[in-house]
Amino acid sequence: MKQHLKNRQILSRILIMCLYIFSMPMTAQQIKYTDGKDSWNPDLLGNHRAVVEFTGRDNIAKTTIEWRRRDEKPELKRIIVQDGKTGATILNIKTDAITRESGTIFFEPISGKGTYYIYYMPYIDEGDANYLKGLYAKPENKADAQWVSKIKTNLADNCTLTEIQSINAFNSFYPMDVIATAAETTAIIAKNSGSSFLVFPEDRIYSIRMKNDLPQRWIQKGTQNTFSDTALKGEYLAFQLGIYAIQDLKNVKVTFTDLKNSNGDIISAKNIGCINTDGVKYDGAVFTNTVSVPKGKVQAMWCGIDIPQTAAAGTYTGKATVTADGKPKEITLQIKVTNEVTKNGGIDNLEKMTRLKWLNSTLAQENTVIAPYTPLAVKDSEISLLGRKLVLATNGFPAQIQTFFTPEMTSIGTKVNNILSSPVEFHFVDAAGKESLKWKNTGIKFLKKEVGTVSWESTSTSQSLQMDVNGALEFDGFLSYTVKITALEEATFNDINIHLPFEPSSAKYMMGLGQKGGDRPATFDWKWDVAHKNQDGAWIGSVNSGLQFSLRDEKYSRPLNTNFYLQKPLLLPTSWGNDNKGGITITPNQKSILVNAYSGARSMKKGDVLYYNFNLLITPFHTIDTDFQWNTKFYHKYSSIDTIVKTSATVINIHHANEINPYINYPFIEFKKMKSYIDEAHEKGLKVKIYNTVREVSNKAYETFALKSLGHEIYSPGKGGGFSWLQEHVGDDYIPAWFVPGIKDAAIVNSGMNRWHNYYVEGMNWLTQNVGIDGVYLDDVAFDRITMKRIKRVLTKDGHPGIIDLHSANQYNKSDGFNNSANLYMEHFPYVNKLWFGEYFDYEKNQPDFFLTEVSGIPFGLMGEMLQDGGNAWRGMVYGMTNRMPWSGNADPRAIWKLWDTFGIKGSKMIGYWSENCPVKTSNDKVLATVYKKNGSALISIASWADTDVKVKLIIDWKKLGINPAKATIVAPEILNFQPSKTFSATDEITVEKGKGWLLIVK
């Protein structure tokens, strides 16, 4: 943070400490803008003040401040006057003619001649400490009436404005938040009569911030026809073209010519672009955007020149042409390229805005296979992937889906686990309730057979409908379908539905559609409610075989999550939702558990098209890696390396809001400190992961205003508000997110799937290659699986470990749309190494089926840890889970870690209570046992879900356990805060306290 402030202060000395002299002839006053260096309490007085010198003789001071404020209705904000000599707040004040351009203040100069401070934007922070509701204090009148009566309206100013100060450089309005007056704006428009818009070329250092006002800086400069700058070889040179609309502008574009120097060397126009209108989407598709600017508004067009490393030194000249509604304005570009070659394209220098190039990155887009997955193999209509197989019917839908994982989830066997009891089918039901359509299909045509993706198509035709099916399976088990239904003639249906018939053995559990993770209900009925519920599918399965399904159409857009769902909810699919007629039922029959996703009655006219798209995830994704679980002991806090070494932790998670990673989801500012810390950790045998995701972005991001210029692409639309800095500089139309009071880090909500994900991937790559991070800690996820795959690729490149652990607070609440964390994030599970679920997960009241499905990760090939209130240590160990130190006060797993090491749990075989092969059970079905088996010994974890203390006997299959009962000993080693030392015989009754258990070593 100190380094960041230092960088800002260096810049501020250039920008703020200089005299800011008005060039307009009508203005003689000179205003100096300075850095207050945090010399007052902004929470009481606000971020801005005018410093005046009173030179009068009587007890009425008058000053007129030309503050040029960008905030609306300044007359509704309080003015506080403070005596510079004593610090006392002056009660006798009166304001007059408070406008955005200037304001007159009368006050009582209680210390006579000297310095007085006039604070003009004091605010009050309300709401939660991390989700502020910043309100500006309203005017108040505490002045003595007798003193007020002495004020003469014709009193001349008797104060001199010496400077306008901001609490620090980061809060300064100078120069880009200092508005032009209405008269100045009118004058510059008049000077350019006949133009429908004005263009103001602007340096990358001065991000354009305001959309409702011209900055005074542009009035002083006037309209310019030339932009000049200097760049290094290999640098991405960012610059801005500020557009001011004199009339409504519907289509603003910027085109470029080649840049040429006097020797005829060329920088191609292909190397120059405008990020507002052109680029690459997060999924690699072409990005295009139309920019419109309403009359009287300002739009920043951010452009960039990618200077080749091979470019010859010299001054290059070319043209940028801004076109709006067919009317062009040319700007001459004069770029001096020096002899120096920049490192990393200049991206190490944040203030140069070179990382804007990252917005259009295609890094790690190729769908190469990521470990531990194996290449897809196609044989006839069968596609094999790690531990699973998909068999296609001729219509392109799954005829069968199989898994081969063992019940323990520690290996892949040969026994087939069928997920489906019969093929997946669409049904088009007539008014009589019958399937009347007769289909002919073309059979499967494979479009792509690559190691990472296999795709196919099949067309089925009936008299009234054509059904075009496009399917794709990826190496991790993600199966996506685009189902296009076209009416060949007018048709009416009582229902259009899809049947997913599950094999009962693969449908023991369910999670989603408002259902808490656990045993599947016998029957189930659900209806769409996107306005309130982030629900479009569910997971149904058993530990070693299952399927998640989600129903979508061609307009699907990923909603916001984690507190923000209601601000950008799901769009009701036109097909499946059908004006809320659609829904899902789950019913058993003799052969299957039938999932019926229906859409209800509808008519289609000839040529009408509906998209009944859906996605499937075949679970589990891979086997559980128990040795990784035992070896990876997280320390989740920024502390000294030596302190952490003593705990026996092996991986450090660096959250945000600390010295080396201060700003949320923008871990670049203190990267030198971060690298030094990571280097020391590596020297001492520890790995380091950092907090970094994209749900929200810190306001400390250098690119904040460039991102804001992209409309709602990066930042979600919203009502604004929140921390004062956001209101004073971003203005409006955003959603304020997480706030850290100590360092005043105020984040803005990301809009969802956008080009910031390209930046995110590049940033992760840069942190891995240049800073040495060993992975990332994800605190919920606001991106989809495309970005997750890219992240995993860059994190694991060149042999880096690329550890990803995923934390989530329980999403089953109103603000999050009543979804299950595991269901919401399942698409990411193939690339996650560990789960940490999380706040608001109840480890005391919930049953084992909830632990297994919604917390442990085991049915998906993962293992996890507990958080809320430290978790339940006894129940956790049944799933191989502990809590994580030292995030919450009672979270100290070191005693259990020590037992792992003394027993030698690494290399053991975990056989959970859910497996028919588990060699140990108890005499009470509410007390469950999991075995960690080694040659000649075993660790037995038992935990109780009984309502009271109970006594149980162990039921041991000694042959399966591989131990001679005649020679066996059963010992409960002493574990601090877990259990006392005790020895048992095989026939003893063991007292198990309510909600607790034992760890027993059998030798």
Side-chain angles (χ1 to χ4, degrees):
M1 181 177 177
K2 291 178 181 176
Q3 181 62 41
H4 169 61
L5 290 175
K6 183 179 178 182
N7 291 341
R8 294 284 187 178
Q9 286 163 1
I10 291 171
L11 184 59
S12 74
R13 289 191 185 102
I14 301 170
L15 305 180
I16 295 174
M17 299 302 289
C18 64
L19 288 177
Y20 187 50
I21 303 173
F22 295 145
S23 62
M24 296 297 290
M26 67 185 77
T27 308
Q29 186 181 9
Q30 297 179 355
I31 297 179
K32 183 167 64 174
Y33 286 78
T34 63
D35 178 354
K37 298 181 180 178
D38 298 300
S39 57
W40 68 87
N41 185 350
D43 294 332
L44 296 176
L45 300 168
N47 298 312
H48 310 280
R49 71 183 184 186
V51 184
V52 300
E53 288 290 326
F54 172 60
T55 56
R57 296 179 179 177
D58 53 24
N59 71 337
I60 297 177
K62 179 188 178 185
T63 181
T64 300
I65 304 168
E66 192 174 1
W67 44 36
R68 294 174 174 258
R69 294 163 59 170
R70 64 170 288 177
D71 57 311
E72 300 293 334
K73 299 183 179 179
E75 70 277 8
L76 300 181
K77 297 183 175 74
R78 184 176 301 170
I79 300 289
I80 297 174
V81 182
Q82 194 180 67
D83 179 14
K85 190 175 294 183
T86 66
T89 298
I90 297 172
L91 299 181
N92 283 334
I93 68 168
K94 182 181 184 300
T95 61
D96 184 42
I98 302 294
T99 69
R100 297 174 68 229
E101 295 178 7
S102 64
T104 298
I105 297 101
F106 299 90
F107 63 91
E108 182 183 11
I110 58 177
S111 292
K113 293 182 180 180
T115 301
Y116 293 85
Y117 301 118
I118 299 173
Y119 300 89
Y120 51 89
M121 297 183 74
Y123 57 86
I124 302 166
D125 286 329
E126 295 183 349
D128 184 273
N130 298 118
Y131 287 99
L132 290 181
K133 294 180 180 178
L135 303 175
Y136 285 88
K138 295 180 180 179
E140 59 180 0
N141 183 11
K142 293 184 178 181
D144 178 71
Q146 188 174 3
W147 177 84
V148 172
S149 68
K150 296 178 182 178
I151 297 174
K152 296 178 181 178
T153 55
N154 61 352
L155 178 67
D157 278 19
N158 53 18
C159 294
T160 302
L161 175 66
T162 62
E163 57 196 292
I164 288 179
Q165 286 188 334
S166 55
I167 182 66
N168 51 42
F170 188 65
N171 278 273
S172 178
F173 286 139
Y174 175 81
M176 299 306 291
D177 287 318
V178 179
I179 69 168
T181 65
E184 291 166 348
T185 303
T186 300
I188 201 168
I189 292 172
K191 190 175 179 180
N192 294 273
S193 60
S195 296
S196 58
F197 63 94
L198 306 178
V199 180
F200 298 91
E202 187 56 88
D203 191 280
R204 54 189 167 180
I205 297 298
Y206 304 102
S207 291
I208 298 170
R209 301 182 174 200
M210 299 185 293
K211 66 180 181 182
N212 297 323
D213 295 276
L214 292 174
Q216 186 195 24
R217 170 180 165 83
W218 290 356
I219 301 299
Q220 295 173 331
K221 290 172 57 180
T223 54
Q224 304 283 316
N225 296 320
T226 300
F227 174 76
S228 302
D229 207 343
T230 299
L232 308 181
K233 295 180 180 180
E235 182 178 353
Y236 180 80
L237 176 65
F239 64 96
Q240 305 164 88
L241 297 174
I243 311 301
Y244 178 72
I246 297 174
Q247 301 172 3
D248 286 342
L249 306 177
K250 297 297 184 186
N251 187 12
V252 179
K253 291 282 186 183
V254 187
T255 57
F256 305 92
T257 66
D258 294 341
L259 304 180
K260 298 179 181 179
N261 67 10
S262 57
N263 294 326
D265 300 308
I266 292 175
I267 296 174
S268 172
K270 294 179 181 179
N271 287 38
I272 316 174
C274 175
I275 66 170
N276 298 78
T277 54
D278 300 285
V280 180
K281 294 182 180 179
Y282 81 97
D283 60 359
V286 173
F287 171 86
T288 57
N289 182 46
T290 299
V291 174
S292 298
V293 190
K295 179 181 178 181
K297 302 295 184 181
V298 176
Q299 171 66 47
M301 305 294 283
W302 277 90
C303 307
I305 305 171
D306 218 350
I307 310 292
Q309 281 197 4
T310 56
T315 299
Y316 291 76
T317 302
K319 298 285 185 182
T321 302
V322 180
T323 306
D325 297 329
K327 299 175 183 178
K329 281 189 181 294
E330 286 189 349
I331 304 296
T332 298
L333 303 177
Q334 293 180 339
I335 308 302
K336 180 181 178 181
V337 178
T338 69
N339 263 317
E340 184 180 353
V341 178
T342 187
K343 177 187 175 185
N344 280 349
I347 58 178
D348 294 352
N349 300 314
L350 286 165
E351 68 279 0
K352 287 190 172 184
M353 307 294 280
T354 48
R355 298 186 184 202
L356 288 175
K357 179 182 178 181
W358 286 356
L359 289 175
N360 293 321
S361 171
T362 58
L363 180 65
Q365 259 324 341
E366 64 284 351
N367 201 30
T368 53
V369 177
I370 300 169
Y373 301 101
T374 53
L376 294 169
V378 181
K379 182 180 179 182
D380 300 325
S381 62
E382 297 182 355
I383 309 172
S384 297
L385 62 160
L386 181 69
R388 291 154 291 173
K389 182 184 288 184
L390 168 66
V391 182
L392 294 172
T394 55
N395 60 9
F397 296 123
Q400 184 55 270
I401 302 174
Q402 301 172 330
T403 75
F404 300 89
F405 295 95
T406 62
E408 298 77 38
M409 276 302 299
T410 54
S411 61
I412 298 172
T414 55
K415 181 183 176 183
V416 174
N417 308 302
N418 286 332
I419 294 178
L420 301 178
S421 60
S422 58
V424 172
E425 290 186 344
F426 267 84
H427 297 278
F428 298 81
V429 182
D430 62 18
K434 295 181 179 180
E435 172 74 50
S436 59
L437 300 183
K438 295 181 180 179
W439 296 92
K440 294 181 180 179
N441 67 63
T442 59
I444 301 167
K445 178 184 177 183
F446 284 101
L447 305 175
K448 185 188 294 184
K449 292 182 180 179
E450 297 176 353
V451 294
T453 306
V454 172
S455 62
W456 59 91
E457 66 179 8
S458 179
T459 298
S460 297
T461 309
S462 70
Q463 180 178 326
S464 58
L465 297 181
Q466 179 171 308
M467 180 165 60
D468 295 302
V469 176
N470 282 79
L473 177 66
E474 295 186 26
F475 61 85
D476 59 3
F478 176 71
L479 177 57
S480 60
Y481 276 99
T482 300
V483 182
K484 180 183 179 183
I485 308 293
T486 305
L488 303 178
E489 61 183 23
E490 189 168 325
T492 299
F493 301 99
N494 193 49
D495 188 24
I496 301 174
N497 62 51
I498 187 173
H499 282 180
L500 301 173
F502 280 79
E503 189 72 40
S505 61
S506 292
K508 178 174 174 56
Y509 304 110
M510 175 179 170
M511 176 171 55
L513 300 177
Q515 183 75 11
K516 186 168 69 173
D519 292 332
R520 175 187 50 77
T523 60
F524 188 76
D525 193 351
W526 172 88
K527 296 282 289 182
W528 290 91
D529 181 12
V530 296
H532 306 99
K533 296 176 181 178
N534 187 7
Q535 299 171 7
D536 64 0
W539 173 81
I540 294 176
S542 296
V543 174
N544 57 342
S545 60
L547 209 59
Q548 186 200 52
F549 59 90
S550 52
L551 310 177
R552 298 171 181 180
D553 67 5
E554 80 282 11
K555 296 178 182 177
Y556 173 80
S557 178
R558 194 179 194 276
L560 299 180
N561 58 290
T562 58
N563 301 321
F564 302 111
Y565 173 75
L566 297 178
Q567 300 189 55
K568 186 193 172 188
L570 282 166
L571 301 172
L572 182 69
T574 303
S575 53
W576 297 108
N578 191 17
D579 295 326
N580 289 309
K581 296 175 188 174
I584 296 172
T585 60
I586 301 174
T587 53
N589 57 40
Q590 290 181 341
K591 295 182 179 179
S592 68
I593 307 300
L594 181 62
V595 175
N596 172 38
Y598 62 91
S599 61
R602 75 184 328 140
S603 296
M604 298 181 71
K605 296 178 181 178
K606 183 178 180 179
D608 282 355
V609 174
L610 291 168
Y611 284 88
Y612 279 86
N613 301 343
F614 63 97
N615 294 334
L616 302 174
L617 276 168
I618 309 169
T619 67
F621 301 109
H622 50 67
T623 57
I624 58 174
D625 187 347
T626 53
D627 279 355
F628 175 85
Q629 182 78 347
W630 318 137
N631 287 337
T632 309
K633 301 167 183 174
F634 283 127
Y635 187 94
H636 198 91
K637 189 178 180 182
Y638 171 65
S639 298
S640 73
I641 302 295
D642 289 337
T643 297
I644 299 171
V645 167
K646 293 174 183 176
T647 68
S648 78
T650 60
V651 178
I652 309 168
N653 269 7
I654 300 298
H655 213 268
H656 66 93
N658 54 63
E659 187 178 352
I660 66 173
N661 190 21
Y663 306 115
I664 190 168
N665 300 331
Y666 198 76
F668 308 114
I669 290 173
E670 296 292 359
F671 74 91
K672 291 180 181 177
K673 289 182 181 178
M674 185 184 291
K675 184 178 189 311
S676 177
Y677 184 89
I678 291 173
D679 288 346
E680 182 186 352
H682 288 169
E683 288 172 7
K684 296 177 179 177
L686 300 176
K687 292 182 173 65
V688 180
K689 297 165 50 263
I690 66 165
Y691 182 113
N692 188 28
T693 183
V694 297
R695 179 186 61 218
E696 60 226 312
V697 185
S698 170
N699 66 322
K700 300 300 194 302
Y702 279 78
E703 299 87 355
T704 295
F705 298 102
L707 302 182
K708 193 69 168 66
S709 80
L710 302 177
H712 297 144
E713 185 199 351
I714 308 296
Y715 294 137
S716 285
K719 296 179 181 178
F723 182 54
S724 59
W725 188 94
L726 297 176
Q727 298 190 55
E728 291 168 13
H729 300 279
V730 180
D732 59 8
D733 195 20
Y734 62 87
I735 302 173
W738 190 259
F739 176 72
V740 181
I743 57 175
K744 299 189 183 302
D745 183 31
I748 308 171
V749 171
N750 190 291
S751 66
M753 312 312 300
N754 56 64
R755 286 182 294 163
W756 186 246
H757 298 181
N758 293 334
Y759 186 109
Y760 179 61
V761 172
E762 284 279 4
M764 286 293 215
N765 182 64
W766 184 86
L767 288 162
T768 302
Q769 299 297 324
N770 295 277
V771 183
I773 64 170
D774 296 299
V776 62
Y777 163 67
L778 295 176
D779 184 1
D780 287 297
V781 179
F783 50 81
D784 73 354
R785 62 188 311 279
I786 293 173
T787 303
M788 180 62 88
K789 286 190 295 180
R790 297 173 70 191
I791 290 299
K792 193 68 172 182
R793 289 189 181 102
V794 300
L795 288 175
T796 55
K797 190 168 65 174
D798 300 328
H800 288 272
I803 303 167
I804 299 177
D805 70 301
L806 171 61
H807 162 69
S808 179
N810 199 325
Q811 304 283 303
Y812 196 81
N813 59 70
K814 178 180 178 180
S815 296
D816 297 316
F818 298 101
N819 205 341
N820 319 73
S821 294
N823 192 57
L824 177 64
Y825 297 130
M826 199 174 296
E827 65 178 350
H828 300 300
F829 283 7
Y831 308 101
V832 171
N833 298 91
K834 186 177 284 197
L835 300 179
W836 196 24
F837 290 176
E839 289 100 342
Y840 321 121
F841 281 86
D842 192 331
Y843 307 110
E844 300 301 327
K845 295 179 181 178
N846 281 302
Q847 296 302 306
D849 57 337
F850 173 82
F851 271 80
L852 184 62
T853 56
E854 197 157 342
V855 178
S856 76
I858 289 169
F860 314 105
L862 295 172
M863 297 183 76
E865 289 174 323
M866 301 170 291
L867 188 153
Q868 184 70 48
D869 301 322
N872 182 305
W874 300 272
R875 292 175 176 177
M877 267 305 297
V878 171
Y879 305 93
M881 298 190 298
T882 62
N883 53 29
R884 180 177 297 188
M885 72 175 305
W887 192 248
S888 52
N890 58 340
D892 190 347
R894 284 178 291 180
I896 296 177
W897 289 353
K898 184 177 179 182
L899 175 71
W900 289 357
D901 294 338
T902 54
F903 168 71
I905 199 169
K906 182 181 178 181
S908 68
K909 182 179 181 182
M910 181 179 178
I911 311 171
Y913 71 83
W914 53 86
S915 169
E916 63 265 28
N917 300 317
C918 187
V920 179
K921 291 180 173 56
T922 80
S923 57
N924 188 322
D925 61 7
K926 294 287 187 179
V927 181
L928 303 179
T930 289
V931 173
Y932 303 92
K933 179 185 171 186
K934 297 174 62 178
N935 287 332
S937 65
L939 176 66
I940 303 172
S941 170
I942 65 173
S944 176
W945 277 266
D947 296 331
T948 62
D949 295 352
V950 294
K951 291 185 177 182
V952 302
K953 286 188 176 182
L954 299 180
I955 303 170
I956 302 175
D957 186 326
W958 292 100
K959 185 176 181 181
K960 283 185 178 180
L961 197 60
I963 294 175
N964 183 348
K967 299 180 179 180
T969 60
I970 302 176
V971 176
E974 182 179 4
I975 304 173
L976 183 66
N977 298 324
F978 188 94
Q979 69 187 23
S981 174
K982 198 163 186 180
T983 300
F984 299 97
S985 72
T987 58
D988 284 348
E989 282 193 325
I990 300 173
T991 299
V992 184
E993 294 180 42
K994 178 184 176 182
K996 295 186 178 182
W998 292 87
L999 283 171
L1000 307 171
I1001 296 177
V1002 184
K1003 292 185 179 180

